[in-house]
Amino acid sequence: VQLQASGGGLVQPGGSLRLSCAASGFTLDYYTIGWLRQAPGKEREGVSCTSFSGGSTAYADSVKGRFTISRDNAKKTVYLQMNNLKPEDSAVYYCARPSVHWCRAPPLKEEYTYWGQGTQVTVSS
């Protein structure tokens, strides 16, 4: 199982970024995938997740209305569109696959077994 996150960078407050998570080594169609983040000095927290079909999605309250998760199973990729970014969104963002099949709000890091390497998002003027 491999998950590779990309698309992070430096953006000004109010800006947008789209993160991508490329999956390999397993059939993406069958699995929930989540995005979680970790800021310096803070615990890793769930941001969003999408069920295997994409029919169910969930978001942490802090990003609801600003972030959108989507997936393209044919391209084996899960996306996180982040709009109206705030400085408090700055963190390393990870995509991960849980050991469970559901997608809960917010995603619980304890349920996630396989992790990508993370991509840094910095929101600053």
Side-chain angles (χ1 to χ4, degrees):
V1 174
Q2 288 192 324
L3 297 161
Q4 185 163 356
S6 62
L10 173 63
V11 64
Q12 292 187 340
S16 298
L17 281 174
R18 189 176 81 156
L19 305 183
S20 298
C21 174
S24 61
F26 66 102
T27 304
L28 181 62
D29 310 46
Y30 299 152
Y31 291 94
T32 290
I33 296 292
W35 285 97
L36 300 93
R37 67 187 181 187
Q38 188 166 18
K42 294 188 176 182
E43 288 198 7
R44 196 167 295 189
E45 62 175 3
V47 175
S48 182
C49 55
T50 170
S51 64
F52 66 95
S53 66
S56 176
T57 58
Y59 299 91
D61 286 345
S62 59
V63 306
K64 207 173 290 184
R66 300 188 296 122
F67 290 12
T68 303
I69 192 170
S70 61
R71 63 195 293 158
D72 186 335
N73 287 339
K75 293 184 177 179
K76 301 181 181 180
T77 304
V78 177
Y79 304 98
L80 185 68
Q81 178 67 43
M82 306 187 296
N83 298 330
N84 191 22
L85 282 160
K86 304 175 181 181
E88 51 264 41
D89 294 318
S90 297
V92 177
Y93 283 71
Y94 300 89
C95 59
R97 197 187 91 180
S99 57
V100 297
H101 292 292
W102 53 80
C103 170
R104 69 163 84 226
L108 295 179
K109 63 181 187 297
E110 293 80 7
E111 294 180 342
Y112 285 75
T113 305
Y114 298 98
W115 295 81
Q117 86 287 1
T119 185
Q120 176 71 49
V121 172
T122 303
V123 185
S124 175
S125 55

